[in-house]
Amino acid sequence: MTPADAPASAASPARTGQPARASGSSRASAWAELLRLPALFTVPGDVLAGAAAAGAPAGPRALLAIGSSLCLYEAGMALNDWADRAEDAAERPHRPLPSGRVRPAAALTAACALTGAGLALAAGAGRRALAVATPLAATVWAYDLTLKHTPAGPAAMAAARGLDLLLGAAATTGRTRAALPSAALLGTHTLAVTAVSRRETRGGSALAPLAACVTTGVLTRLVTRRPARLPAGRREAAAPGLPGPLPGPLPDPGAGRGSARPAAAVRSGPGRGAARLTAALGAAYAATAARPYLHAALNPSPPLTQRAVGGGIRATIPLQAALTARSGAAATALLIAALAPAGRKFARKVSIT
């Protein structure tokens, strides 16, 4: 999960330098900009991918984990602008806090309230979920208040997104170890995006977007090369709500002691259909991220760097979907992928970065 996937980028400048009393609609717009609401579409896929990696359907506990993830993500967004309010006053005076459309005290209060709500929702999903959500919240606050402008910033952001995926596994089956490979891949993508975002307002660095482009290619290869192995004894079945894998033994068509075929079938990864879906989603991930990265590497101007950051954030959704399909939950993967066009449409009204 990313508390602030990137520093704030250009939006509609304030018409005057003086704070004005905002109307209800303009106040709501200011909060939508502060919280970067279109980026929320990149959050549910973390939990769903983690649950799929652990072999669980998206049940009530997964929904609680998604709620926790959304709250902690938005807490980081509000805290990000509160911590950067002095810098934004000089470099981005149109942002909600320096323009006076949102009071700093209100942003900090929102960050605290959202953090508390996120931890409460995680507690409702179980002790294991809370055990993951607590370091996740600590990472969010540490990044925004201390680590953001240090060399450890990208790694902290990657850790937060990886923990967010593990939250889905912890809230469902508790098998977080099974979700570690998916968390590592998603965290690596976040590391690359965050490294590019550090030069978003100034530009001038071709190395970071070029490295991110190469990283995208490597991740695409790793995600699509070989489907994840399904846990022994797991079967695929439709569950109420979102279809997905359910724990349980497969029927034994061989029904004989000497037949090793059923066990092999259980241990093998998803079938050809799921593999093709994973490949298609992996291609969508690569297409979404690599092209703007390449443009920014060839011309590292602030506008193209900002587009590269936006492309990297949007590419999180097809990557989550590919990881979920790779774990054998095809229907859930399609649901995650469907969030991409909705987020893209919303981002036309509110900046995603």
Side-chain angles (χ1 to χ4, degrees), residues 17-67:
Q18 300 297 324
R21 186 176 296 276
S23 65
S25 60
S26 61
R27 187 179 298 112
S29 177
W31 277 98
E33 185 181 342
L34 175 73
L35 298 175
R36 298 167 183 81
L37 291 185
L40 281 181
F41 290 93
T42 72
V43 177
D46 289 347
V47 171
L48 294 175
R61 289 196 172 190
L63 295 178
L64 285 171
I66 289 173

Side-chain angles (χ1 to χ4, degrees), residues 185-216:
L185 293 172
L186 185 61
T188 301
H189 165 73
T190 304
L191 180 70
V193 178
T194 309
V196 176
S197 76
R198 291 164 76 86
R199 304 282 300 188
E200 184 183 17
T201 58
R202 299 184 300 274
S205 173
L207 181 60
L210 182 61
C213 189
V214 173
T215 300
T216 299

